[in-house]
Amino acid sequence: MPLPKERLYTVDDIYNLPDGQRAELIDGQIYDMAPPSRKHQDILSFLHLTIGNYINQNKGNCKIYPAPFAVFLDEDQYTYVEPDISVICDPDKLDDRGCNGAPDWIIEIVSPGSKSMDYYTKLALYRAAGVREYWIVDPQRSIILVYDMEHEEGPVIHSFSDSVPVMIYPGFSVDFSLLKI
């Protein structure tokens, strides 16, 4: 007897989820997302403001988007992610639905239920898609892992008391000691 065929989900299935239900789609499999904690949102707000202010003050052409923001890494209909922070420097990748292709910089804030996804699955996914820089911010361990994928370096591990240099913006760093959580 043949094994049952595994169902592959598409982006249409994501858009047909009930209102309020968030999920990501990786290689045709749906992964539900738990609501973020207050600490997660504090870190997200800090990063969004810090990076956004830097871009604006330097008249940068990159755009920053906090989750929920749709990122379609591939041209297929089987992968859809919502990184916590997406920085996109190529305006041609942006449309009304989100980002089509790899953002230049992605930051994921680890939640208890997302550890293996952020540390392993998404690391491989983002590397293969061409993301230039990937940060994993782990509030439970008070560390930031920085992957400079453009130069195939990393991870460099920083603590929440460090000023963390941004690879795609030489001369800019995020001072995590200013984070109040």
Side-chain angles (χ1 to χ4, degrees), residues 104-175:
D104 293 86
W105 181 15
I106 288 179
I107 301 173
E108 293 286 6
I109 302 163
V110 177
S111 299
S114 73
K115 274 186 182 181
S116 66
M117 182 71 78
D118 294 334
Y119 277 98
Y120 305 108
T121 306
K122 287 185 176 179
L123 171 62
L125 184 69
Y126 296 157
R127 186 184 309 273
V131 172
R132 294 169 55 200
E133 185 167 352
Y134 178 44
W135 288 18
I136 300 172
V137 178
D138 191 331
Q140 193 170 39
R141 297 172 57 200
S142 297
I143 62 168
I144 304 99
L145 277 73
V146 175
Y147 291 87
D148 179 357
M149 295 199 244
E150 186 173 36
H151 300 104
E152 298 182 16
E153 294 179 15
V156 176
I157 302 171
H158 299 274
S159 77
F160 274 30
S161 61
D162 292 341
S163 189
V164 181
V166 178
M167 301 298 115
I168 69 166
Y169 288 121
F172 173 48
S173 60
V174 176
D175 187 352

Side-chain angles (χ1 to χ4, degrees), residues 48-66:
H48 183 233
L49 286 170
T50 302
I51 298 164
N53 286 339
Y54 177 82
I55 292 170
N56 289 335
Q57 289 167 359
N58 290 280
K59 299 179 178 37
N61 63 344
C62 299
K63 298 276 193 176
I64 181 170
Y65 296 95

